[in-house]
Structures are given as C-alpha cells and as structure tokens.
Amino acid sequence: MATAFHELPLALFTTLASIGAGAFISLAAAFFTAKFSDGQLARIDKLTLVPAIVVVVGFIAAFFHLANPMAAFGVFGGLGRSPMSNELAVAMLFAVAMATYVIMGLAGKLGGARKGLVCATAVLAVLFAVFMGLAYGMATIPTWSTPWPVAQMIGYALLGGAAMGACVLAFSDALDAAVDGTFKSALIAFAVIGAVLAVAGLALMYSGAGSVSNAFVAGTDLAAGASGAFYVAVACLVLACAAVIAAALGKGGNAASAIAVILAFAGILAGRFVFYALQISVGISF
Amino acid sequence: MTQYGFFYDATRCTGCKTCELACKDYKDLPVDFSFRHVYEVEGGSWQQDDAGFWTTDSYTYYLSMSCNHCDEPACTHACPTGAMHKDTDTGIVSVDKAKCIGCGYCAMACPYDAPTVSKEIGHSAKCNGCAERVAAGMQPICVEACSGRALFFAPIDELPSGEGRADIAPLPAEDFTGPNLYLKKCVSMQPVATDVAISNILEVM
C-alpha cells in the first residue's frame, strides 16, 4: 500500500473528478426527464457550482503530484501518443463545457441552451471518465493494462455522479419534483450500473493481480496488502448505491443524498488506493 | 539513425559494482539514487534422492544494467510532454529537464527501473549514455570504470558478438520495448519468465 499512498494526489484527483463530472450526467438526465419551476432551476444552477468546485479541487490535487508543475502547460505535447496527454485534453474540453454551463447558469442566461449545453457537458463527462481509465493503459503494467480501470472509472462517474446529482437536486428543493417522473428510474439505473461496473471492475483487477509477479514482488502480496482498502471500497460503493436509491425513492430526505456523496467519496477513494497498490511491472520495477 | 547500445559480458562481470559507483560519482548522485544497478540474481533448489544424497541446481549471476535506450521505449510513449525523448541521431533516450513536469509516468512505464522522479530533483532523471563523453569520443563512465571489461557501449552493429538482446530473467521479454542491451551470457543465466530472486533488493531499489 506504500505505492498507493505515494499516489494520494492522483487518487484524490480521480475520485473528485469522477464524482464532480458524473454529477452533470445525472443533471442532464434530470433536465431531459423532469419539469422544474423557474425557482427550482435558479437554485439548481446555483448549487451546480458545488460539483464544479469538486472537479476544480480534483485538478488542483493533481498538481501536487507533479515534481515540476511549472512546466504543466506542455502536457498536451504527447497528444495522440501519451495516454496522459489524451486524458488531460479531454479533461480540458470537459472543463470548458462545464465552466460555460455553470457560468451561464449562475448568470441566469441558460434559457433554451440549457439542454444542449448540459447534454454536451454530460457526454464529455463520460469521455473524461473513459480517458481517466485509459490513462494507465501501459503494456508493461499487466494489472493496469486491462479493460477494468476503464470500467471502474465509468462506474465511479455514474455512481458518484448520481449521488452528487441527487444531492444538488435535493438541496435545491427539486429532487421530489425530479423523481416524480422517469428520472427516478434513471437515477436508480445510474447508481446500480455504476456500482456494478465499479465493484466488478475493481474485483476483477484485484483477483487478476494474483496471477502476476516479478522478481521483486508477487501480485498476491500486493493484493493481500490492499485487502482492507478493497473491502472498504466495495462496502462503501454498495452502501452509496443504496443511499442513492433511497434518495430516488424519496426516503431519507436530503440526508440520504448527502450520505450517498460521502459514501461514494470514501468508496471511490479506497478503490483508487487499491488500484495504485496493484501496480506491478513485467520487469524489474514495482 | 545510428542506434547506440550497451553490451554486457556476464562471463567477465564479478559483481564488484564499480560501474554503479563510477556513475554515481561522475553524475554526482545522492546516496539513495543510482542510474546503474548491479542485480544479484539467484535461484534453484536442493533435492535429496532416495539414497539420501543431496544435489543442487542453485545458481547465481550478476546483471549490470542502466537505461537500455530501447527501440520502442515505454517511457517516451507514456511521457505527456515529450521531455523523455529518443535522440534521432544516436537513439539515446534522455530527459529534457525544461519540459519535464515530474509526473512519474516514465518511471511507472519503464520495465527496467531506469527513470527516477522525485520532488527533490524536480524532474525525471536517468542514464543518458554519458552523451557528452560519447560526443567527445570517450566511453560512458561506467564502461571506462569496469575493471573486468564486461561493459561496452557503441553503435549496436559495432558491439562484440554475443547472444543477442537481453532476454534473461528477471527482465521482461525483449519484444515489450526492444532494449538495446546485448549480452554474452554466463552459464548460470536463466531464460525470461524463470522464477528468480534478487538477493540485493535493498541495494537496488
């Protein structure tokens, strides 16, 4: 687990970015399936600043990972070649769409552009999650060079985003109106599909690590060291899913969605620690 | 393009680690940091037959290695800024410190543990084949320091004849990155994927 704690800034980045970005997926579904009053829309637009801030805090955390952040403007130099450049390029596209949407919402100028903008932001949020997963697709690290990291990140964005989206709607006094229609099913679907992808992706990577080893370390030892974090992640992700379902069913009031966000954060962060703890090379490094 | 590479004669290496220390001295590296490592590789077992006689197939060998300036370096593929790059004239892989953000992806990706990144040094750092010495017609300092003449560095078509690229345990199969480390093997050397142990882990990590 020492490797995992060394990557704390990246663990925070991928956790916060997936939750914050994922919220726009749920919000997009809400705007396409529910009717809100002008007052509710104004409150939702104000509180949409929260997931945006969560994403920004994630980006700031990522900078703490760098030994020389002053050169960070060069990160797009590897576009098309480097998985990290690709990830950050998609991240920037998402950030621009998100900022445009949030600023226009705060200014009360979304009007007829609301659905188009939130839909574009949601699509870019999904792409952002996919590219966060692809960022670690290194052939020399067999535990990471699988589809499971991508499944995990999409799952985290759907589940964490469902929790954060429900929270934004709940504290805007708009969740009851939203879950009155088909958004209830959409929110539950996001949470369940997200939890399944996240837990299955994590479990398959965790179990697969046992078959990998090099001269320095055995995957079974790494998995054993990360077992505590693995079980915390699975438990928190399942409970977060349950809390989102409770919120979607109108049970638990605002507290259910707030608890869902806290559980999703804890589960995703623990899952990210497991991910980094299972780094094992085909060669002579960890 | 000329491709430079290392040749390591395992039949001559005594595991003295002079190459490693000469590199640390020449590059003025801190105690916990080294561009070249000498791995002490060992394995095998003892068996007792029905008559009670013990036999062993245990073995040990040394492997002196730094960056292998690979044909398809995993580090340059992962690097987001292009700071880790392969010289088009010599094939030497080195770091442009001004471009490096110190993200550590090169260190994660490299299966030879060549690059090191830390906040103290502020960027990725690794063997550059002593490019400045080579340009001046000299050998890299590790090669010059080797008392057993076990190391060579030259364009790969001028290296001594051996058994080809490094394809021994504990290294990965050569087709991952195409390492420009060529070998003359000693009899103890084991093929790729053999379950070997490194007995000086604390020294090389």
Side-chain angles (χ1 to χ4, degrees):
Chain A
M1 284 296 284
T3 312
F5 288 118
H6 180 71
E7 306 294 354
L8 176 62
L10 286 180
L12 280 172
F13 162 60
T14 46
T15 299
L16 295 172
S18 59
I19 292 173
F24 290 89
I25 302 171
S26 295
L27 289 173
F31 292 129
F32 275 91
T33 56
K35 293 267 184 207
F36 298 109
S37 67
D38 288 345
Q40 285 172 325
L41 287 175
R43 288 195 294 276
I44 292 169
D45 289 341
K46 268 188 191 170
L47 280 181
T48 302
L49 194 57
V50 174
I53 289 171
V54 168
V55 172
V56 171
V57 172
F59 282 134
I60 292 169
F63 270 81
F64 284 91
H65 167 70
L66 305 178
N68 181 23
M70 299 307 289
F73 288 110
V75 293
F76 304 114
L79 201 59
R81 164 181 53 77
S82 166
M84 186 182 177
S85 291
N86 297 341
E87 173 199 20
L88 293 175
V90 176
M92 283 304 107
L93 288 175
F94 165 75
V96 168
M98 178 188 76
T100 305
Y101 175 80
V102 171
I103 290 168
M104 285 180 70
L106 289 173
K109 298 201 184 294
L110 276 171
R114 175 183 298 280
K115 285 187 177 176
L117 262 177
V118 78
C119 188
T121 308
V123 169
L124 286 168
V126 174
L127 281 176
F128 183 23
V130 169
F131 277 81
M132 274 195 282
L134 291 173
Y136 297 96
M138 301 176 187
T140 50
I141 303 179
T143 43
W144 290 357
S145 187
T146 66
W148 314 137
V150 176
Q152 289 163 30
M153 292 314 305
I154 295 172
Y156 295 154
L158 287 176
L159 175 58
M164 179 60 84
C167 201
V168 167
L169 293 172
F171 284 87
S172 304
D173 292 327
L175 185 60
D176 290 340
V179 298
D180 207 25
T182 51
F183 179 66
K184 175 166 53 178
S185 305
L187 192 59
I188 292 172
F190 287 151
V192 171
I193 294 169
V196 168
L197 283 174
V199 172
L202 199 59
L204 287 165
M205 189 173 80
Y206 184 79
S207 60
S211 61
V212 184
S213 67
N214 64 28
F216 285 110
V217 66
T220 47
D221 292 338
L222 293 182
S227 61
F230 174 74
Y231 292 119
V232 166
V234 171
C236 288
L237 291 169
V238 171
L239 290 171
C241 178
V244 173
I245 292 171
L249 296 175
K251 294 174 181 172
N254 292 2
S257 59
I259 289 169
V261 172
I262 293 167
L263 286 167
F265 174 80
I268 296 171
L269 187 62
R272 296 309 293 164
F273 278 136
V274 172
F275 174 85
Y276 290 111
L278 297 180
Q279 177 192 341
I280 183 168
S281 170
V282 293
I284 54 169
S285 55
F286 285 114
Chain B
M1 179 190 81
T2 300
Q3 173 65 61
Y4 275 79
F6 282 104
F7 178 87
Y8 172 65
D9 186 342
T11 66
R12 299 182 71 92
C13 180
T14 62
C16 69
K17 303 181 179 67
T18 303
C19 53
E20 190 176 316
L21 290 174
C23 173
K24 283 173 77 81
D25 188 26
Y26 179 67
K27 298 286 186 181
D28 198 20
L29 301 178
V31 171
D32 58 349
F33 188 85
S34 186
F35 290 165
R36 177 168 285 278
H37 294 112
V38 177
Y39 298 90
E40 297 175 359
V41 187
E42 62 185 27
S45 60
W46 286 84
Q47 290 94 28
Q48 188 176 28
D49 64 18
D50 294 340
F53 289 103
W54 286 91
T55 56
T56 183
D57 57 358
S58 62
Y59 56 83
T60 186
Y61 57 91
Y62 301 107
L63 175 62
S64 173
M65 193 174 65
S66 60
C67 173
N68 294 324
H69 305 285
C70 304
D71 288 347
E72 299 290 338
C75 57
T76 61
H77 176 74
C79 179
T81 64
M84 188 69 82
H85 64 287
K86 190 170 175 66
D87 187 85
T88 50
D89 293 331
T90 62
I92 290 175
V93 177
S94 58
V95 184
D96 182 338
K97 294 174 192 171
K99 283 186 178 178
C100 180
I101 57 173
C103 65
Y105 270 38
C106 54
M108 284 181 183
C110 174
Y112 299 104
D113 199 29
T116 299
V117 182
S118 77
K119 296 212 169 168
E120 286 71 36
I121 54 175
H123 55 79
S124 178
K126 59 179 276 301
C127 160
N128 70 342
C130 287
E132 68 289 347
R133 287 176 59 88
V134 172
M138 294 184 284
Q139 285 284 296
I141 199 76
C142 54
V143 174
E144 193 165 293
C146 179
S147 56
R149 296 291 178 261
L151 278 175
F152 299 85
F153 187 75
I156 54 174
D157 53 1
E158 296 174 20
L159 290 172
S161 60
E163 283 95 33
R165 288 185 200 260
D167 59 346
I168 53 153
L171 306 182
E174 64 173 79
D175 55 1
F176 273 105
T177 61
N180 284 299
L181 171 63
Y182 291 79
L183 292 178
K184 181 176 181 183
K185 297 176 185 174
C186 63
V187 291
S188 298
M189 280 185 155
Q190 303 294 309
V192 164
T194 305
D195 187 16
V196 299
I198 292 171
S199 59
N200 62 334
I201 283 181
L202 291 179
E203 193 177 286
V204 296
M205 292 306 289

